[in-house]
C-alpha cells in the first residue's frame, strides 16, 4: 500500500505498560500482523505505545488491546459504570451498547436495561466520557458522567422527574382514550356523521402530544439505521392514525368499491395509552428490584460530629479526613470506618454482615460506616473515608454485580438485536398475505394484523427477564451479608457439588492463641529476641499469636535479620551468618534438624489435643516448641451438615499437622480431609476434583488467607471470608462479610432461586412472543374467524413486561 492510501486512514496511539525490551516489542509486532483491520503498525518502545493505522478504528483498537493482553502485557485503561438515561426497551439497551462499542478507544461496553447503567472500559488517551455522552445523545439517549454526591442526587431527581412525566402522560392519554373507546365501540355512536371527527380530535393529542416521545425516538433511531420498541409503537400507531384520517376525509374511496371506510382512531390512541401505562408500571417495578442498593445507600449519614480541640463540631461526611476524631452518640449511624479510641458500646452491624446480634465495641475495635450505635457513646479515629469505606465498597460491588450479565443474557442480547427487524418482516408478510388471500376485506384485515403484530411484539419482557432477577438476587444477597461479584458466579453457584474448606479462619475462628510453650535448651534472652523479631516480620496469623504471647518490656526487636518465607512450611531468619527456623515438622526435617525424644514426646502430647505446633530451631538443634489452639466457630458444624444435606461433598484442606486436622474434621463432621497441604497443593487438589474423569466436580473453594488466593482463583466459585485478607476477597467471586459458614449454604440456595426465576422469566417472555405474534398475524382466522384487536394487543404487551418484573420481585420474599 502506498503512502497516499495510508494517509487516508486514521492513526491512533495505544499506550503500553510493562513492555521493556526489544524482544517484548517484537512479540507484540508479530501478533499485530494477524489483525486484518490494521493497515500499518509500529511498536514505539521509547514512547511506550503502539501506533496503528486503520480504517476501522473501533474494531482495530479493541482487537489490538485483546492481543496485547493475551501476551501478558498491559494497556492502561479505565473501567467505569455510568447511569444511562432514556432507555425505553431492551432493544434500546442493545443499540446504545453497539454505539458505545463503535467509539474508537472503547475496549468493551455492556448496557444493562434493568438498572439503566453502562459498564465501559476505555483508553482515556483515546476517548473520554464527554465523547461517549455525545455519541449517545445523537440517538436519543444520554450518559450521566459526573461522579459526585450531587451527581447521584441529580440522577435520583432525573429518575423521579421521568417517572412523574410518564405518569402524567399516562393519565392524560387514558383521559382522552376512554371517551374515544366509548364512541368507537358503541354502534349507535360510531356511525353518527360527527363520530369520526370527534374521535380524530380525541386521538390527536394522545398520539402527537402524550405519545410524541415514541415518534421522536423512532426518528433518532432511523437516522442511525436502527430500530427499537419506540419504532414499533410509532409505526403501528402512525399508520393506524394516518389511515383513519384518510378514511375520514375521503370515505368515498371505499364506499365507491362497496366497502366500509373503517377508522382506527381508538386503536392508535389506546395503544399509546396502554404502552405508557405498561411503562409506568414497569418503571415502578424496576425501582423495587433495586430497593436493596437504595437501602445500602440510605445507611450513609449526611453529617458527622468531629472532635477538634476537645470541641464537638458538626461537619458534612464528605469533609471527613483520615485521622480525624469522631464522636458517636447513642442511636447514631457511624459515618466512616475507623478504630475506637475511648468509650464502649454495642453496634448493630446487621445491615452489613447480616448478623442480628449487636457487636461489642471497646478501645482498638474496628467500626464501619453505615452501622448503628446502640446505647453507649464512644470516640474513634477515622481510617477509611469516602469511597474507601467498607459500605462504599459493598455498594460498588453490588452495583457492578447487578450490572453484569449472566451467560444466558448474551444469547438474549443477540435475539433483542434482531427482534425489531424480524417483527417488521413478519408484520409485512402478514399484510401481503392478507391482501393476496383476504378477498374484499383483505386490505382492511391486513392493515389491522400489521398494526397488531407491531403492537403485541415485545422485546422488553425478554430483555428484563435476566437482569431484573439478577438485580433482586444480588440485592438479597447483600442484605444477608453475601457479596456476589458478578452474575456468572451467581449462576454457577447453583451447580456446585463439591466444597473445599480451608481450616484456619474458615472452620475455626482464625484467632489462634498460644496455650503452652517449652524450651528444650536453656532459655536465653538473645534467642527469645530472635524468636520475637522473626515472627514479628511475618504476616501469618500464627506468628501474630506468638508475638502477642512473648511480647513484654524485656523483649528487644532486632531489625537487621534477613527474612525468607518458606511457603506452607514456615519462615527462615539469618542473623550474624547463622540461620534460624520457625515452622512445622516438615520444615525441620527438610533441613535435617534432628527431633529428639523429649521434643517428640512433648509434640505428640500437644498434637493429641488437636493443637498446632510451631518449632523454633537453629542450624543444629530445636530450641523451643510452642503449642497453639484455634477454637472452632460455633456455626461450623451446622453449616457443614447443611451443605452435606444438599448433596454437596465437603473437603477440608489445611497446612496443619495430621492429628490436628483429624481432630477438627471429626468435631465438625467432615469425612474427607488432607493435612500439611501447601498453597500449590490446594490448587492441585481443586484441579484434581475439577478434572476427575469419573465424576467431574463443580468446586467452590472457601478460604480467608493469602495462601488460599490461588486456590480461590482456580475454583469454579471462590468464596472468601470477609474477615480474612484483602487479596483473598479480591480474587474470590463471593465474600461472606461476617465469616459465618452458614452463609455459604444460603448463597447456594439463593443461586438456585435466582436461576429458577430467570428460567421462569425467559420461558414466559419467549412463549409470549412465540404464541402472541402468530395470533396477531391472524393465524386463527381460517379456523374460527378470530382476529385480535390492536387494543387488546396493547393491553397484553403492557402486562407481559410487568409480569416478568413482578416475578423477579417475588424472589425478594422467598426464604
Amino acid at each position: 500500500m502506498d503512502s497516499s492510501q495510508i494517509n487516508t486512514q486514521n492513526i491512533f496511539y495505544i499506550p503500553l505498560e510493562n513492555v521493556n525490551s526489544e524482544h517484548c516489542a517484537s512479540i507484540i509486532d508479530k501478533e499485530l500482523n494477524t489483525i486484518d483491520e490494521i493497515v500499518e503498525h509500529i511498536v514505539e518502545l521509547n514512547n511506550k505505545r503502539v501506533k496503528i493505522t486503520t480504517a476501522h478504528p473501533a474494531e482495530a483498537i479493541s482487537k489490538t488491546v485483546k492481543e496485547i493482553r493475551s501476551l501478558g502485557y498491559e494497556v492502561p485503561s479505565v473501567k467505569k459504570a455510568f447511569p444511562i438515561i432514556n432507555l425505553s426497551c431492551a432493544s434500546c439497551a442493545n443499540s446504545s451498547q453497539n454505539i458505545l462499542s463503535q467509539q474508537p478507544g472503547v475496549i468493551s461496553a455492556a448496557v444493562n436495561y434493568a438498572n439503566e447503567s453502562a459498564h465501559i472500559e476505555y483508553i482515556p488517551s483515546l476517548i473520554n466520557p464527554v465523547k461517549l455522552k455525545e455519541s449517545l445523545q445523537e440517538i436519543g439517549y444520554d450518559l450521566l458522567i459526573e461522579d459526585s454526591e450531587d451527581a447521584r442526587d441529580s440522577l435520583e431527581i432525573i429518575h423521579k422527574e421521568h417517572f412523574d412525566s410518564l405518569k402524567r402522560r399516562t393519565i392524560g392519554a387514558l383521559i382522552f382514550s376512554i371517551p374515544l373507546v366509548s364512541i368507537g365501540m358503541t354502534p349507535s355512536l360510531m356511525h353518527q356523521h360527527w363520530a369520526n371527527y370527534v374521535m380524530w380530535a380525541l386521538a390527536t393529542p394522545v398520539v402527537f402530544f402524550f405519545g410524541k416521545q415514541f415518534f421522536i425516538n423512532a426518528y433518532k433511531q432511523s437516522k442511525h439505521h436502527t430500530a427499537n420498541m419506540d419504532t414499533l409503537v410509532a409505526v403501528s400507531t402512525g399508520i393506524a392514525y394516518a389511515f383513519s384520517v384518510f378514511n375520514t376525509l375521503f370515505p368515498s374511496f371505499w364506499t365507491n368499491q362497496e366497502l366500509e371506510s373503517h377508522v382506527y382512531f381508538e386503536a392508535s390512541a389506546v395503544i399509546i395509552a396502554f404502552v405508557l401505562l405498561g411503562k409506568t408500571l414497569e418503571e415502578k417495578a424496576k425501582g423495587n428490584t433495586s430497593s436493596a442498593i437504595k437501602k445500602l445507600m440510605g445507611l450513609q449519614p449526611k453529617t458527622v460530629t468531629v472532635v477538634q480541640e476537645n470541641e464537638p463540631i458538626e461537619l458534612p461526611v464528605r469533609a471527613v479526613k483520615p485521622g480525624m476524631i469522631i464522636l458517636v452518640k447513642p442511636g447514631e449511624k457511624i459515618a466512616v470506618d475507623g478504630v475506637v479510641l475511648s468509650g464502649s458500646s454495642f453496634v448493630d452491624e446487621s445491615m452489613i454482615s447480616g448478623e442480628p446480634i449487636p457487636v461489642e465495641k471497646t478501645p482498638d475495635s474496628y467500626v464501619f460506616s453505615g452501622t448503628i450505635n446502640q446505647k453507649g457513646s464512644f470516640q474513634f479515629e477515622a481510617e477509611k473515608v469516602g469511597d474507601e469505606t467498607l459500605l462504599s465498597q459493598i455498594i460498588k460491588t453490588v452495583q457492578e454485580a447487578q450490572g453484569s450479565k449472566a451467560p444466558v443474557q448474551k444469547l438474549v442480547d443477540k435475539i433483542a438485536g434482531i427482534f425489531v427487524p424480524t417483527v417488521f418482516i413478519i408484520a409485512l408478510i402478514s399484510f401481503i398475505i392478507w391482501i393476496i388471500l383476504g378477498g374484499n376485506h383483505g386490505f382492511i384485515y391486513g392493515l389491522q394484523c400489521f398494526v397488531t403484530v407491531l403492537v403485541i411484539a415485545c422485546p422488553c419482557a425478554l430483555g428484563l427477564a435476566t437482569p431484573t432477577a439478577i438485580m433482586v438476587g444480588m440485592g438479597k444477597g447483600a442484605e444477608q451479608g453475601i457479596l456476589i461479584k458478578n452474575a456468572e458466579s451467581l449462576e454457577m453457584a447453583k451447580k456446585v457439588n463439591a466444597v473445599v474448606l480451608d481450616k484456619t479462619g474458615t472452620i475455626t475462628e482464625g484467632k489462634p492463641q498460644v496455650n503452652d510453650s517449652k524450651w528444650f535448651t536453656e532459655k536465653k534472652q538473645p534467642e527469645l529476641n530472635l524468636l520475637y523479631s522473626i515472627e514479628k516480620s511475618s504476616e501469618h496469623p500464627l506468628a501474630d499469636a506468638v508475638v502477642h504471647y512473648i511480647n513484654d518490656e524485656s523483649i528487644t526487636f532486632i531489625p537487621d535479620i534477613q527474612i525468607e518465607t518458606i511457603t506452607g512450611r514456615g519462615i527462615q531468619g539469618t542473623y550474624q551468618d547463622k540461620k534460624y527456623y520457625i515452622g512445622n515438622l516438615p520444615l525441620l526435617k527438610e533441613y535435617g534438624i534432628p527431633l529428639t525424644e523429649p521434643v517428640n514426646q512433648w509434640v505428640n502430647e500437644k498434637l493429641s489435643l488437636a493443637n498446632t505446633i510451631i518449632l523454633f530451631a537453629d542450624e543444629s538443634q530445636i530450641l523451643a516448641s510452642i503449642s497453639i489452639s484455634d477454637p472452632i466457630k460455633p456455626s461450623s458444624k451446622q453449616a457443614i451438615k447443611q451443605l452435606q444435606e444438599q448433596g454437596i461433598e465437603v473437603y477440608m484442606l489445611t497446612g496443619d499437622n495430621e492429628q490436628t486436622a483429624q481432630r477438627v474434621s471429626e468435631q465438625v463432621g467432615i469425612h474427607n480431609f488432607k493435612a500439611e497441604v501447601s498453597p500449590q497443593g490446594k490448587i492441585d487438589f481443586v484441579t484434581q476434583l475439577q478434572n476427575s474423569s469419573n465424576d467431574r466436580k463443580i468446586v467452590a473453594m472457601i478460604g480467608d488467607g493469602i495462601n488460599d488466593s490461588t486456590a480461590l482463583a482456580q475454583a469454579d466459585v471462590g468464596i472468601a471470608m470477609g474477615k480474612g485478607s484483602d487479596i483473598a476477597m479480591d480474587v474470590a467471586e463471593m465474600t461472606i462479610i461476617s465469616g459465618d459458614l452458614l452463609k455459604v449454604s444460603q448463597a447456594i440456595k439463593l443461586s438456585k432461586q435466582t436461576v429458577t426465576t430467570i428460567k421462569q422469566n425467559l420461558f414466559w417472555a419467549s412463549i409470549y412472543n412465540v404464541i402472541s405474534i402468530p395470533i396477531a398475524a391472524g393465524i386463527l382466522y381460517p379456523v374460527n374467524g378470530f382476529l385480535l384487536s390492536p387494543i387488546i394487543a396493547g393491553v397484553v404487551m403492557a402486562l407481559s413486561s410487568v409480569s416478568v418484573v413482578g416475578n423477579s420481585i417475588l424472589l425478594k420474599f422467598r426464604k
Side-chain angles (χ1 to χ4, degrees):
M1 179 172 287
D2 60 39
S3 59
S4 62
Q5 287 177 295
I6 292 175
N7 287 335
T8 64
Q9 311 294 323
N10 297 304
I11 296 174
F12 296 91
Y13 295 93
I14 301 173
L16 296 172
E17 283 183 357
N18 68 319
V19 179
N20 303 314
S21 67
E22 290 291 346
H23 176 67
C24 298
S26 65
I27 292 173
I28 293 173
D29 183 73
K30 183 178 179 182
E31 199 66 30
L32 296 187
N33 284 327
T34 63
I35 300 176
D36 296 335
E37 288 81 7
I38 296 178
V39 176
E40 187 180 70
H41 69 273
I42 301 171
V43 180
E44 299 179 355
L45 189 58
N46 292 335
N47 295 322
K48 290 282 194 289
R49 66 187 187 184
V50 175
K51 175 185 176 183
I52 66 169
T53 307
T54 176
H56 309 281
E59 199 171 353
I61 292 169
S62 181
K63 286 185 177 181
T64 299
V65 172
K66 288 173 184 174
E67 289 294 344
I68 291 171
R69 287 179 174 174
S70 71
L71 296 170
Y73 306 110
E74 192 49 66
V75 175
S77 64
V78 173
K79 289 182 180 179
K80 200 165 184 181
F82 299 95
I84 190 167
I85 301 169
N86 298 336
L87 294 180
S88 60
C89 69
S91 294
C92 299
N94 197 64
S95 60
S96 59
Q97 180 174 300
N98 289 338
I99 289 293
L100 289 169
S101 300
Q102 290 165 13
Q103 304 309 306
V106 171
I107 299 170
S108 65
V111 175
N112 187 308
Y113 172 49
N115 66 359
E116 298 179 338
S117 66
H119 292 256
I120 308 168
E121 182 182 7
Y122 62 94
I123 301 171
S125 59
L126 295 180
I127 195 166
N128 57 51
V130 173
K131 290 181 180 177
L132 295 172
K133 180 184 178 80
E134 290 170 352
S135 69
L136 285 182
Q137 286 176 331
E138 289 181 8
I139 57 169
Y141 311 121
D142 203 353
L143 208 63
L144 195 67
I145 59 175
E146 295 80 11
D147 187 14
S148 64
E149 192 170 330
D150 291 338
R152 287 189 285 271
D153 290 342
S154 68
L155 178 63
E156 285 296 315
I157 293 170
I158 289 170
H159 281 311
K160 187 178 184 305
E161 287 177 350
H162 171 69
F163 180 75
D164 290 344
S165 170
L166 195 56
K167 192 162 66 172
R168 286 194 301 271
R169 285 187 286 138
T170 302
I171 293 170
L174 287 171
I175 288 171
F176 279 87
S177 296
I178 291 170
L180 183 55
V181 171
S182 300
I183 297 171
M185 295 296 180
T186 306
S188 60
L189 295 176
M190 65 185 293
H191 294 296
Q192 297 292 330
H193 67 277
W194 48 263
N196 284 1
Y197 291 96
V198 172
M199 287 192 288
W200 184 5
L202 290 169
T204 301
V206 176
V207 175
F208 295 113
F209 181 71
F210 299 116
K212 66 180 178 181
Q213 208 60 42
F214 295 115
F215 294 90
I216 292 169
N217 291 340
Y219 171 70
K220 289 179 178 179
Q221 291 288 323
S222 67
K223 288 199 298 183
H224 290 266
H225 309 291
T226 58
N228 62 6
M229 185 184 162
D230 291 329
T231 312
L232 295 177
V233 174
V235 171
S236 59
T237 57
I239 288 175
Y241 180 88
F243 180 72
S244 301
V245 170
F246 177 84
N247 287 357
T248 299
L249 296 175
F250 307 105
S252 58
F253 179 84
W254 300 103
T255 53
N256 291 341
Q257 302 176 54
E258 299 183 353
L259 294 172
E260 189 174 348
S261 59
H262 289 279
V263 295
Y264 292 100
F265 286 123
E266 79 283 1
S268 62
V270 172
I271 287 168
I272 284 176
F274 277 124
V275 171
L276 287 172
L277 178 61
K279 285 288 168 195
T280 305
L281 296 174
E282 184 186 306
E283 286 294 319
K284 184 75 174 173
K286 276 164 61 180
N288 288 334
T289 64
S290 60
S291 61
I293 201 74
K294 290 176 181 175
K295 280 183 186 176
L296 288 172
M297 288 178 169
L299 295 174
Q300 296 172 309
K302 300 291 184 184
T303 60
V304 64
T305 304
V306 175
V307 179
Q308 292 182 350
E309 298 178 358
N310 294 324
E311 290 293 328
I313 300 171
E314 190 171 282
L315 294 176
V317 170
R318 69 184 77 174
V320 176
K321 307 293 182 187
M324 286 185 171
I325 309 302
I326 295 170
L327 172 65
V328 183
K329 300 171 187 175
E332 285 187 343
K333 290 178 181 176
I334 295 169
V336 296
D337 296 356
V339 179
V340 177
L341 297 176
S342 62
S344 64
S345 182
F346 282 84
V347 174
D348 179 5
E349 296 183 346
S350 60
M351 61 290 299
I352 285 180
S353 67
E355 299 296 328
I357 301 172
V359 180
E360 185 177 9
K361 300 297 178 181
T362 56
D364 296 330
S365 298
Y366 277 92
V367 291
F368 303 101
S369 171
T371 56
I372 302 173
N373 184 30
Q374 302 285 287
K375 295 180 180 179
S377 180
F378 60 88
Q379 293 184 14
F380 74 95
E381 181 180 349
E383 283 195 350
K384 294 181 179 179
V385 302
D387 292 339
E388 294 182 357
T389 65
L390 176 62
L391 179 61
S392 294
Q393 292 300 312
I394 290 171
I395 291 170
K396 182 181 177 183
T397 300
V398 174
Q399 284 178 325
E400 289 178 352
Q402 289 183 336
S404 64
K405 294 188 177 183
V408 69
Q409 185 65 25
K410 294 172 184 175
L411 174 62
V412 173
D413 286 346
K414 288 181 181 178
I415 295 171
I418 61 170
F419 186 89
V420 173
T422 303
V423 168
F424 266 110
I425 291 169
I426 293 170
L428 281 170
I429 290 172
S430 68
F431 180 59
I432 292 167
I433 290 174
W434 271 105
I435 289 176
I436 296 170
L437 304 177
N440 290 339
H441 295 89
F443 182 86
I444 299 295
Y445 289 167
L447 185 66
Q448 179 178 331
C449 289
F450 177 82
V451 170
T452 306
V453 168
L454 294 184
V455 170
I456 206 166
C458 184
C460 296
L462 202 60
L464 289 166
T466 301
T468 52
I470 292 292
M471 285 176 68
V472 174
M474 297 288 189
K476 189 176 180 182
E479 289 176 348
Q480 296 297 317
I482 303 166
L483 279 188
I484 305 166
K485 278 191 180 175
N486 53 57
E488 190 170 356
S489 57
L490 180 63
E491 192 173 330
M492 180 61 73
K494 168 187 177 290
K495 303 174 185 177
V496 167
N497 54 14
V499 168
V500 179
L501 299 169
D502 172 53
K503 179 180 75 69
T504 305
T506 303
I507 295 174
T508 64
E509 292 284 3
K511 298 175 182 176
Q513 296 177 336
V514 175
N515 55 43
D516 200 1
S517 66
K518 185 174 180 63
W519 285 80
F520 300 104
T521 61
E522 185 182 349
K523 184 177 178 181
K524 297 177 182 178
Q525 192 64 40
E527 280 80 3
L528 199 60
N529 290 340
L530 280 166
L531 173 61
Y532 174 83
S533 302
I534 295 170
E535 289 288 61
K536 185 75 172 175
S537 303
S538 172
E539 295 182 353
H540 198 284
L542 296 182
D544 288 339
V546 174
V547 168
H548 185 74
Y549 176 69
I550 62 177
N551 188 18
D552 59 43
E553 292 179 3
S554 65
I555 290 293
T556 303
F557 178 73
I558 304 170
D560 54 341
I561 302 176
Q562 292 181 350
I563 300 296
E564 180 184 344
T565 300
I566 304 164
T567 306
R569 296 283 189 269
I571 191 168
Q572 173 188 298
T574 305
Y575 180 65
Q576 295 180 349
D577 297 326
K578 188 174 181 180
K579 289 183 171 59
Y580 295 87
Y581 304 96
I582 303 173
N584 54 21
L585 284 169
L587 174 69
L588 301 194
K589 289 178 182 177
E590 184 180 329
Y591 286 94
I593 299 168
L595 192 69
T596 63
E597 184 55 35
V599 174
N600 195 42
Q601 186 178 343
W602 193 87
V603 167
N604 286 333
E605 179 189 334
K606 297 302 176 183
L607 289 177
S608 67
L609 300 173
N611 292 335
T612 299
I613 303 301
I614 289 178
L615 299 167
F616 175 43
D618 61 18
E619 294 172 337
S620 60
Q621 63 179 332
I622 295 173
L623 304 174
S625 183
I626 300 169
S627 173
I628 297 175
S629 61
D630 186 9
I632 294 171
K633 293 176 182 177
S635 61
S636 290
K637 185 174 182 178
Q638 184 186 352
I640 288 162
K641 185 181 179 183
Q642 285 184 1
L643 291 170
Q644 291 168 338
E645 287 174 347
Q646 292 182 53
I648 297 170
E649 294 181 16
V650 182
Y651 303 83
M652 183 183 79
L653 301 182
T654 178
D656 218 332
N657 60 77
E658 184 79 18
Q659 291 95 324
T660 301
Q662 184 172 354
R663 188 75 175 265
V664 170
S665 65
E666 287 172 354
Q667 289 179 9
V668 297
I670 293 177
H671 310 299
N672 305 298
F673 70 90
K674 284 188 74 174
E676 298 178 1
V677 183
S678 66
Q680 183 59 47
K682 291 180 181 179
I683 300 173
D684 295 340
F685 186 83
V686 170
T687 305
Q688 183 182 340
L689 288 176
Q690 291 172 323
N691 297 335
S692 173
S693 56
N694 297 329
D695 184 19
R696 186 196 180 281
K697 302 292 185 185
I698 304 297
V699 181
M701 172 71 198
I702 306 172
D704 73 324
I706 295 172
N707 61 340
D708 300 318
S709 57
T710 48
L712 289 169
Q714 174 62 38
D716 298 288
V717 180
I719 303 176
M721 295 289 110
K723 296 181 179 178
S725 75
D726 290 342
I727 294 175
M729 287 186 276
D730 285 343
V731 170
E733 286 88 7
M734 293 188 187
T735 298
I736 308 298
I737 296 173
S738 66
D740 185 354
L741 267 180
L742 285 169
K743 299 289 183 183
V744 175
S745 178
Q746 290 182 18
I748 292 171
K749 288 176 182 176
L750 176 63
S751 169
K752 290 177 179 178
Q753 291 174 349
T754 306
V755 171
T756 299
T757 301
I758 290 172
K759 288 180 178 177
Q760 291 170 347
N761 288 349
L762 287 174
F763 173 79
W764 162 245
S766 302
I767 207 71
Y768 160 79
N769 282 298
V770 167
I771 293 174
S772 64
I773 291 176
I775 291 174
I779 198 169
L780 294 180
Y781 188 81
V783 179
N784 56 16
F786 176 76
L787 272 184
L788 187 65
S789 163
I791 295 175
I792 302 301
V795 175
V796 174
M797 189 273 286
L799 291 175
S800 66
S801 296
V802 176
S803 63
V804 165
V805 179
N807 189 46
S808 294
I809 291 171
L810 288 177
L811 179 61
K812 290 166 64 175
F813 305 104
R814 293 179 190 164
K815 290 186 179 180

